[in-house]
PDB file of all heavy atoms in Angstrom:
ATOM      1  N   ALA A   5       0.842  -1.238  -0.005  1.00 98.00           N
ATOM      2  CA  ALA A   5       0.002   0.009   0.013  1.00 98.00           C
ATOM      3  C   ALA A   5       0.873   1.274   0.003  1.00 98.00           C
ATOM      4  O   ALA A   5       2.055   1.139   0.249  1.00 98.00           O
ATOM      5  CB  ALA A   5      -0.898   0.015   1.179  1.00 98.00           C
ATOM      6  N   ILE A   6       0.286   2.370  -0.292  1.00 97.00           N
ATOM      7  CA  ILE A   6       0.950   3.673  -0.157  1.00 97.00           C
ATOM      8  C   ILE A   6       0.230   4.457   0.844  1.00 97.00           C
ATOM      9  O   ILE A   6      -0.989   4.702   0.742  1.00 97.00           O
ATOM     10  CB  ILE A   6       1.062   4.336  -1.524  1.00 97.00           C
ATOM     11  CG1 ILE A   6       1.892   3.478  -2.547  1.00 97.00           C
ATOM     12  CG2 ILE A   6       1.680   5.735  -1.401  1.00 97.00           C
ATOM     13  CD1 ILE A   6       1.961   4.025  -3.921  1.00 97.00           C
ATOM     14  N   ASP A   7       0.957   4.989   1.811  1.00 97.00           N
ATOM     15  CA  ASP A   7       0.401   5.907   2.869  1.00 97.00           C
ATOM     16  C   ASP A   7       1.181   7.180   2.713  1.00 97.00           C
ATOM     17  O   ASP A   7       2.355   7.287   3.110  1.00 97.00           O
ATOM     18  CB  ASP A   7       0.682   5.208   4.221  1.00 97.00           C
ATOM     19  CG  ASP A   7       0.075   6.032   5.384  1.00 97.00           C
ATOM     20  OD1 ASP A   7      -0.749   6.977   5.131  1.00 97.00           O
ATOM     21  OD2 ASP A   7       0.384   5.734   6.540  1.00 97.00           O
ATOM     22  N   ASP A   8       0.523   8.190   2.193  1.00 97.00           N
ATOM     23  CA  ASP A   8       1.155   9.427   1.831  1.00 97.00           C
ATOM     24  C   ASP A   8       2.298   9.173   0.884  1.00 97.00           C
ATOM     25  O   ASP A   8       2.125   8.755  -0.191  1.00 97.00           O
ATOM     26  CB  ASP A   8       1.549  10.207   3.080  1.00 97.00           C
ATOM     27  CG  ASP A   8       0.406  10.756   3.849  1.00 97.00           C
ATOM     28  OD1 ASP A   8      -0.658  11.121   3.265  1.00 97.00           O
ATOM     29  OD2 ASP A   8       0.497  10.768   5.153  1.00 97.00           O
ATOM     30  N   ASP A   9       3.528   9.428   1.343  1.00 96.00           N
ATOM     31  CA  ASP A   9       4.733   9.208   0.466  1.00 96.00           C
ATOM     32  C   ASP A   9       5.475   7.948   0.858  1.00 96.00           C
ATOM     33  O   ASP A   9       6.702   7.811   0.541  1.00 96.00           O
ATOM     34  CB  ASP A   9       5.622  10.430   0.541  1.00 96.00           C
ATOM     35  CG  ASP A   9       6.243  10.617   1.853  1.00 96.00           C
ATOM     36  OD1 ASP A   9       5.751  10.079   2.851  1.00 96.00           O
ATOM     37  OD2 ASP A   9       7.259  11.399   1.934  1.00 96.00           O
ATOM     38  N   THR A  10       4.864   7.056   1.548  1.00 97.00           N
ATOM     39  CA  THR A  10       5.523   5.843   2.076  1.00 97.00           C
ATOM     40  C   THR A  10       4.904   4.549   1.515  1.00 97.00           C
ATOM     41  O   THR A  10       3.719   4.390   1.554  1.00 97.00           O
ATOM     42  CB  THR A  10       5.362   5.771   3.649  1.00 97.00           C
ATOM     43  OG1 THR A  10       5.938   7.025   4.197  1.00 97.00           O
ATOM     44  CG2 THR A  10       6.117   4.628   4.221  1.00 97.00           C
ATOM     45  N   TYR A  11       5.816   3.742   1.023  1.00 98.00           N
ATOM     46  CA  TYR A  11       5.380   2.390   0.530  1.00 98.00           C
ATOM     47  C   TYR A  11       5.283   1.507   1.829  1.00 98.00           C
ATOM     48  O   TYR A  11       6.189   1.460   2.569  1.00 98.00           O
ATOM     49  CB  TYR A  11       6.410   1.787  -0.466  1.00 98.00           C
ATOM     50  CG  TYR A  11       6.229   2.352  -1.845  1.00 98.00           C
ATOM     51  CD1 TYR A  11       6.648   3.526  -2.156  1.00 98.00           C
ATOM     52  CD2 TYR A  11       5.535   1.572  -2.776  1.00 98.00           C
ATOM     53  CE1 TYR A  11       6.543   4.035  -3.491  1.00 98.00           C
ATOM     54  CE2 TYR A  11       5.382   2.084  -4.143  1.00 98.00           C
ATOM     55  CZ  TYR A  11       5.886   3.274  -4.463  1.00 98.00           C
ATOM     56  OH  TYR A  11       5.722   3.715  -5.730  1.00 98.00           O
ATOM     57  N   VAL A  12       4.140   0.828   1.923  1.00 98.00           N
ATOM     58  CA  VAL A  12       3.990   0.054   3.170  1.00 98.00           C
ATOM     59  C   VAL A  12       3.824  -1.368   2.754  1.00 98.00           C
ATOM     60  O   VAL A  12       2.985  -1.780   1.944  1.00 98.00           O
ATOM     61  CB  VAL A  12       2.629   0.446   3.939  1.00 98.00           C
ATOM     62  CG1 VAL A  12       2.498  -0.339   5.146  1.00 98.00           C
ATOM     63  CG2 VAL A  12       2.691   1.926   4.193  1.00 98.00           C
ATOM     64  N   PHE A  13       4.623  -2.257   3.250  1.00 98.00           N
ATOM     65  CA  PHE A  13       4.662  -3.667   3.075  1.00 98.00           C
ATOM     66  C   PHE A  13       4.055  -4.390   4.269  1.00 98.00           C
ATOM     67  O   PHE A  13       4.545  -4.199   5.396  1.00 98.00           O
ATOM     68  CB  PHE A  13       6.060  -4.232   2.734  1.00 98.00           C
ATOM     69  CG  PHE A  13       6.673  -3.544   1.572  1.00 98.00           C
ATOM     70  CD1 PHE A  13       7.438  -2.440   1.684  1.00 98.00           C
ATOM     71  CD2 PHE A  13       6.433  -4.030   0.249  1.00 98.00           C
ATOM     72  CE1 PHE A  13       8.048  -1.806   0.548  1.00 98.00           C
ATOM     73  CE2 PHE A  13       6.980  -3.435  -0.900  1.00 98.00           C
ATOM     74  CZ  PHE A  13       7.766  -2.274  -0.733  1.00 98.00           C
ATOM     75  N   VAL A  14       2.941  -5.087   4.074  1.00 98.00           N
ATOM     76  CA  VAL A  14       2.197  -5.615   5.181  1.00 98.00           C
ATOM     77  C   VAL A  14       2.166  -7.069   5.129  1.00 98.00           C
ATOM     78  O   VAL A  14       1.829  -7.681   4.134  1.00 98.00           O
ATOM     79  CB  VAL A  14       0.705  -5.085   5.160  1.00 98.00           C
ATOM     80  CG1 VAL A  14       0.016  -5.557   6.428  1.00 98.00           C
ATOM     81  CG2 VAL A  14       0.663  -3.561   5.041  1.00 98.00           C
ATOM     82  N   GLU A  15       2.558  -7.697   6.293  1.00 97.00           N
ATOM     83  CA  GLU A  15       2.473  -9.089   6.499  1.00 97.00           C
ATOM     84  C   GLU A  15       1.214  -9.379   7.245  1.00 97.00           C
ATOM     85  O   GLU A  15       0.994  -8.770   8.405  1.00 97.00           O
ATOM     86  CB  GLU A  15       3.717  -9.630   7.224  1.00 97.00           C
ATOM     87  CG  GLU A  15       3.682 -11.090   7.571  1.00 97.00           C
ATOM     88  CD  GLU A  15       3.758 -12.002   6.367  1.00 97.00           C
ATOM     89  OE1 GLU A  15       4.000 -11.522   5.204  1.00 97.00           O
ATOM     90  OE2 GLU A  15       3.583 -13.257   6.546  1.00 97.00           O
ATOM     91  N   VAL A  16       0.409 -10.299   6.866  1.00 97.00           N
ATOM     92  CA  VAL A  16      -0.834 -10.707   7.538  1.00 97.00           C
ATOM     93  C   VAL A  16      -0.727 -12.135   8.066  1.00 97.00           C
ATOM     94  O   VAL A  16      -0.419 -12.969   7.228  1.00 97.00           O
ATOM     95  CB  VAL A  16      -2.052 -10.506   6.678  1.00 97.00           C
ATOM     96  CG1 VAL A  16      -3.369 -10.917   7.427  1.00 97.00           C
ATOM     97  CG2 VAL A  16      -2.159  -9.087   6.109  1.00 97.00           C
ATOM     98  N   LYS A  17      -0.875 -12.281   9.291  1.00 95.00           N
ATOM     99  CA  LYS A  17      -0.845 -13.624   9.881  1.00 95.00           C
ATOM    100  C   LYS A  17      -2.093 -13.950  10.681  1.00 95.00           C
ATOM    101  O   LYS A  17      -2.657 -13.108  11.318  1.00 95.00           O
ATOM    102  CB  LYS A  17       0.373 -13.806  10.825  1.00 95.00           C
ATOM    103  CG  LYS A  17       1.663 -13.908  10.206  1.00 95.00           C
ATOM    104  CD  LYS A  17       1.840 -15.223   9.449  1.00 95.00           C
ATOM    105  CE  LYS A  17       3.215 -15.338   8.821  1.00 95.00           C
ATOM    106  NZ  LYS A  17       3.222 -16.485   7.931  1.00 95.00           N
ATOM    107  N   TYR A  18      -2.584 -15.195  10.424  1.00 93.00           N
ATOM    108  CA  TYR A  18      -3.834 -15.641  11.058  1.00 93.00           C
ATOM    109  C   TYR A  18      -3.590 -16.885  11.868  1.00 93.00           C
ATOM    110  O   TYR A  18      -2.881 -17.848  11.400  1.00 93.00           O
ATOM    111  CB  TYR A  18      -4.859 -15.921  10.033  1.00 93.00           C
ATOM    112  CG  TYR A  18      -6.191 -16.554  10.563  1.00 93.00           C
ATOM    113  CD1 TYR A  18      -7.098 -15.798  11.270  1.00 93.00           C
ATOM    114  CD2 TYR A  18      -6.345 -17.921  10.389  1.00 93.00           C
ATOM    115  CE1 TYR A  18      -8.203 -16.416  11.830  1.00 93.00           C
ATOM    116  CE2 TYR A  18      -7.529 -18.495  10.910  1.00 93.00           C
ATOM    117  CZ  TYR A  18      -8.492 -17.715  11.641  1.00 93.00           C
ATOM    118  OH  TYR A  18      -9.541 -18.315  12.129  1.00 93.00           O
ATOM    119  N   ARG A  19      -4.172 -16.911  13.070  1.00 91.00           N
ATOM    120  CA  ARG A  19      -4.126 -18.172  13.913  1.00 91.00           C
ATOM    121  C   ARG A  19      -5.598 -18.336  14.432  1.00 91.00           C
ATOM    122  O   ARG A  19      -6.170 -17.412  15.076  1.00 91.00           O
ATOM    123  CB  ARG A  19      -3.155 -18.044  15.066  1.00 91.00           C
ATOM    124  CG  ARG A  19      -1.665 -17.974  14.699  1.00 91.00           C
ATOM    125  CD  ARG A  19      -1.211 -19.294  14.128  1.00 91.00           C
ATOM    126  NE  ARG A  19       0.217 -19.299  13.804  1.00 91.00           N
ATOM    127  CZ  ARG A  19       0.650 -19.068  12.521  1.00 91.00           C
ATOM    128  NH1 ARG A  19      -0.140 -18.773  11.510  1.00 91.00           N
ATOM    129  NH2 ARG A  19       1.991 -19.087  12.350  1.00 91.00           N
ATOM    130  N   GLN A  20      -6.116 -19.499  14.198  1.00 86.00           N
ATOM    131  CA  GLN A  20      -7.512 -19.718  14.717  1.00 86.00           C
ATOM    132  C   GLN A  20      -7.445 -19.972  16.298  1.00 86.00           C
ATOM    133  O   GLN A  20      -8.385 -19.509  16.929  1.00 86.00           O
ATOM    134  CB  GLN A  20      -8.069 -21.036  14.041  1.00 86.00           C
ATOM    135  CG  GLN A  20      -9.478 -21.302  14.417  1.00 86.00           C
ATOM    136  CD  GLN A  20     -10.084 -22.354  13.521  1.00 86.00           C
ATOM    137  OE1 GLN A  20      -9.474 -22.865  12.680  1.00 86.00           O
ATOM    138  NE2 GLN A  20     -11.336 -22.662  13.834  1.00 86.00           N
ATOM    139  N   SER A  21      -6.421 -20.616  16.672  1.00 76.00           N
ATOM    140  CA  SER A  21      -6.229 -20.786  18.139  1.00 76.00           C
ATOM    141  C   SER A  21      -4.759 -20.548  18.499  1.00 76.00           C
ATOM    142  O   SER A  21      -3.901 -20.461  17.635  1.00 76.00           O
ATOM    143  CB  SER A  21      -6.605 -22.195  18.534  1.00 76.00           C
ATOM    144  OG  SER A  21      -5.695 -23.159  18.071  1.00 76.00           O
ATOM    145  N   GLY A  22      -4.491 -20.446  19.770  1.00 68.00           N
ATOM    146  CA  GLY A  22      -3.139 -20.160  20.205  1.00 68.00           C
ATOM    147  C   GLY A  22      -2.247 -21.384  20.392  1.00 68.00           C
ATOM    148  O   GLY A  22      -1.142 -21.285  21.009  1.00 68.00           O
ATOM    149  N   THR A  23      -2.704 -22.515  19.986  1.00 77.00           N
ATOM    150  CA  THR A  23      -1.924 -23.753  20.169  1.00 77.00           C
ATOM    151  C   THR A  23      -0.570 -23.751  19.443  1.00 77.00           C
ATOM    152  O   THR A  23       0.360 -24.382  19.961  1.00 77.00           O
ATOM    153  CB  THR A  23      -2.682 -25.038  19.747  1.00 77.00           C
ATOM    154  OG1 THR A  23      -3.012 -24.906  18.320  1.00 77.00           O
ATOM    155  CG2 THR A  23      -3.965 -25.235  20.502  1.00 77.00           C
ATOM    156  N   ALA A  24      -0.400 -22.985  18.421  1.00 77.00           N
ATOM    157  CA  ALA A  24       0.852 -22.956  17.674  1.00 77.00           C
ATOM    158  C   ALA A  24       1.500 -21.581  17.875  1.00 77.00           C
ATOM    159  O   ALA A  24       2.410 -21.138  17.172  1.00 77.00           O
ATOM    160  CB  ALA A  24       0.652 -23.130  16.193  1.00 77.00           C
ATOM    161  N   GLY A  25       1.114 -20.885  18.983  1.00 86.00           N
ATOM    162  CA  GLY A  25       1.571 -19.569  19.252  1.00 86.00           C
ATOM    163  C   GLY A  25       0.624 -18.494  18.620  1.00 86.00           C
ATOM    164  O   GLY A  25      -0.239 -18.794  17.903  1.00 86.00           O
ATOM    165  N   THR A  26       0.949 -17.189  18.937  1.00 92.00           N
ATOM    166  CA  THR A  26       0.121 -16.138  18.390  1.00 92.00           C
ATOM    167  C   THR A  26       0.534 -15.834  16.900  1.00 92.00           C
ATOM    168  O   THR A  26       1.625 -16.149  16.479  1.00 92.00           O
ATOM    169  CB  THR A  26       0.227 -14.875  19.205  1.00 92.00           C
ATOM    170  OG1 THR A  26       1.557 -14.283  19.064  1.00 92.00           O
ATOM    171  CG2 THR A  26      -0.081 -15.131  20.663  1.00 92.00           C
ATOM    172  N   SER A  27      -0.337 -15.118  16.250  1.00 94.00           N
ATOM    173  CA  SER A  27      -0.071 -14.732  14.872  1.00 94.00           C
ATOM    174  C   SER A  27       1.207 -13.818  14.792  1.00 94.00           C
ATOM    175  O   SER A  27       2.027 -14.013  13.944  1.00 94.00           O
ATOM    176  CB  SER A  27      -1.291 -13.991  14.267  1.00 94.00           C
ATOM    177  OG  SER A  27      -1.579 -12.851  15.058  1.00 94.00           O
ATOM    178  N   LEU A  28       1.292 -12.885  15.771  1.00 95.00           N
ATOM    179  CA  LEU A  28       2.480 -12.000  15.761  1.00 95.00           C
ATOM    180  C   LEU A  28       3.822 -12.767  15.984  1.00 95.00           C
ATOM    181  O   LEU A  28       4.791 -12.354  15.470  1.00 95.00           O
ATOM    182  CB  LEU A  28       2.212 -10.910  16.731  1.00 95.00           C
ATOM    183  CG  LEU A  28       0.946  -9.968  16.504  1.00 95.00           C
ATOM    184  CD1 LEU A  28       0.861  -8.958  17.614  1.00 95.00           C
ATOM    185  CD2 LEU A  28       1.061  -9.312  15.173  1.00 95.00           C
ATOM    186  N   GLU A  29       3.785 -13.774  16.833  1.00 93.00           N
ATOM    187  CA  GLU A  29       4.983 -14.532  17.078  1.00 93.00           C
ATOM    188  C   GLU A  29       5.465 -15.264  15.783  1.00 93.00           C
ATOM    189  O   GLU A  29       6.649 -15.629  15.800  1.00 93.00           O
ATOM    190  CB  GLU A  29       4.726 -15.598  18.154  1.00 93.00           C
ATOM    191  CG  GLU A  29       4.485 -14.996  19.593  1.00 93.00           C
ATOM    192  CD  GLU A  29       4.039 -16.079  20.568  1.00 93.00           C
ATOM    193  OE1 GLU A  29       3.439 -17.107  20.207  1.00 93.00           O
ATOM    194  OE2 GLU A  29       4.257 -15.793  21.780  1.00 93.00           O
ATOM    195  N   ALA A  30       4.601 -15.407  14.819  1.00 93.00           N
ATOM    196  CA  ALA A  30       4.997 -16.147  13.618  1.00 93.00           C
ATOM    197  C   ALA A  30       5.864 -15.235  12.696  1.00 93.00           C
ATOM    198  O   ALA A  30       6.438 -15.726  11.742  1.00 93.00           O
ATOM    199  CB  ALA A  30       3.719 -16.626  12.838  1.00 93.00           C
ATOM    200  N   VAL A  31       5.909 -13.934  12.957  1.00 95.00           N
ATOM    201  CA  VAL A  31       6.678 -13.028  12.147  1.00 95.00           C
ATOM    202  C   VAL A  31       8.066 -12.947  12.741  1.00 95.00           C
ATOM    203  O   VAL A  31       8.487 -11.998  13.418  1.00 95.00           O
ATOM    204  CB  VAL A  31       6.091 -11.698  11.947  1.00 95.00           C
ATOM    205  CG1 VAL A  31       6.850 -10.791  11.056  1.00 95.00           C
ATOM    206  CG2 VAL A  31       4.607 -11.830  11.447  1.00 95.00           C
ATOM    207  N   THR A  32       8.859 -14.007  12.628  1.00 95.00           N
ATOM    208  CA  THR A  32      10.137 -14.185  13.215  1.00 95.00           C
ATOM    209  C   THR A  32      11.208 -13.252  12.476  1.00 95.00           C
ATOM    210  O   THR A  32      10.934 -12.821  11.363  1.00 95.00           O
ATOM    211  CB  THR A  32      10.594 -15.604  13.175  1.00 95.00           C
ATOM    212  OG1 THR A  32      10.719 -15.969  11.749  1.00 95.00           O
ATOM    213  CG2 THR A  32       9.654 -16.538  13.857  1.00 95.00           C
ATOM    214  N   PRO A  33      12.414 -13.167  13.061  1.00 95.00           N
ATOM    215  CA  PRO A  33      13.471 -12.411  12.331  1.00 95.00           C
ATOM    216  C   PRO A  33      13.790 -13.028  10.967  1.00 95.00           C
ATOM    217  O   PRO A  33      14.022 -12.337  10.041  1.00 95.00           O
ATOM    218  CB  PRO A  33      14.646 -12.515  13.257  1.00 95.00           C
ATOM    219  CG  PRO A  33      14.010 -12.584  14.653  1.00 95.00           C
ATOM    220  CD  PRO A  33      12.800 -13.432  14.480  1.00 95.00           C
ATOM    221  N   SER A  34      13.702 -14.377  10.931  1.00 93.00           N
ATOM    222  CA  SER A  34      13.920 -15.035   9.609  1.00 93.00           C
ATOM    223  C   SER A  34      12.857 -14.640   8.589  1.00 93.00           C
ATOM    224  O   SER A  34      13.087 -14.332   7.379  1.00 93.00           O
ATOM    225  CB  SER A  34      13.932 -16.524   9.801  1.00 93.00           C
ATOM    226  OG  SER A  34      13.922 -17.178   8.565  1.00 93.00           O
ATOM    227  N   LYS A  35      11.583 -14.589   9.044  1.00 94.00           N
ATOM    228  CA  LYS A  35      10.463 -14.163   8.180  1.00 94.00           C
ATOM    229  C   LYS A  35      10.614 -12.673   7.777  1.00 94.00           C
ATOM    230  O   LYS A  35      10.317 -12.357   6.665  1.00 94.00           O
ATOM    231  CB  LYS A  35       9.145 -14.429   8.915  1.00 94.00           C
ATOM    232  CG  LYS A  35       7.935 -14.040   8.112  1.00 94.00           C
ATOM    233  CD  LYS A  35       7.725 -14.914   6.895  1.00 94.00           C
ATOM    234  CE  LYS A  35       6.400 -14.603   6.241  1.00 94.00           C
ATOM    235  NZ  LYS A  35       6.205 -15.361   5.001  1.00 94.00           N
ATOM    236  N   GLN A  36      11.022 -11.901   8.735  1.00 96.00           N
ATOM    237  CA  GLN A  36      11.276 -10.454   8.388  1.00 96.00           C
ATOM    238  C   GLN A  36      12.301 -10.268   7.298  1.00 96.00           C
ATOM    239  O   GLN A  36      12.131  -9.381   6.405  1.00 96.00           O
ATOM    240  CB  GLN A  36      11.698  -9.686   9.720  1.00 96.00           C
ATOM    241  CG  GLN A  36      10.585  -9.676  10.747  1.00 96.00           C
ATOM    242  CD  GLN A  36      11.099  -9.145  12.115  1.00 96.00           C
ATOM    243  OE1 GLN A  36      12.030  -8.483  12.152  1.00 96.00           O
ATOM    244  NE2 GLN A  36      10.368  -9.407  13.140  1.00 96.00           N
ATOM    245  N   LYS A  37      13.362 -11.095   7.405  1.00 95.00           N
ATOM    246  CA  LYS A  37      14.422 -10.997   6.342  1.00 95.00           C
ATOM    247  C   LYS A  37      13.850 -11.365   4.965  1.00 95.00           C
ATOM    248  O   LYS A  37      14.213 -10.755   3.997  1.00 95.00           O
ATOM    249  CB  LYS A  37      15.639 -11.886   6.741  1.00 95.00           C
ATOM    250  CG  LYS A  37      16.793 -11.721   5.850  1.00 95.00           C
ATOM    251  CD  LYS A  37      17.988 -12.538   6.431  1.00 95.00           C
ATOM    252  CE  LYS A  37      19.230 -12.239   5.579  1.00 95.00           C
ATOM    253  NZ  LYS A  37      20.411 -12.943   6.071  1.00 95.00           N
ATOM    254  N   LYS A  38      13.007 -12.390   4.980  1.00 94.00           N
ATOM    255  CA  LYS A  38      12.403 -12.779   3.731  1.00 94.00           C
ATOM    256  C   LYS A  38      11.486 -11.696   3.138  1.00 94.00           C
ATOM    257  O   LYS A  38      11.485 -11.442   1.953  1.00 94.00           O
ATOM    258  CB  LYS A  38      11.638 -14.118   3.835  1.00 94.00           C
ATOM    259  CG  LYS A  38      12.603 -15.267   4.082  1.00 94.00           C
ATOM    260  CD  LYS A  38      11.824 -16.582   4.341  1.00 94.00           C
ATOM    261  CE  LYS A  38      12.752 -17.746   4.571  1.00 94.00           C
ATOM    262  NZ  LYS A  38      12.004 -18.964   4.851  1.00 94.00           N
TER     263      LYS A  38
END
């Protein structure tokens, strides 16, 4: 997306339940690098 003069890259994570951790925990440093 573009927000004013900024390109915004958005990662969306979904977890139905917390058994595999939260959605935000899934955005690891390795995932951030990718």
Side-chain angles (χ1 to χ4, degrees):
I6 297 177
D7 183 14
D8 292 325
D9 65 343
T10 302
Y11 280 78
V12 184
F13 299 93
V14 184
E15 176 68 6
V16 180
K17 285 292 185 190
Y18 171 77
R19 295 289 183 265
Q20 186 170 358
S21 69
T23 57
T26 69
S27 58
L28 299 177
E29 291 172 336
V31 187
T32 62
S34 173
K35 181 68 174 173
Q36 293 172 19
K37 188 172 182 176
K38 289 178 183 177

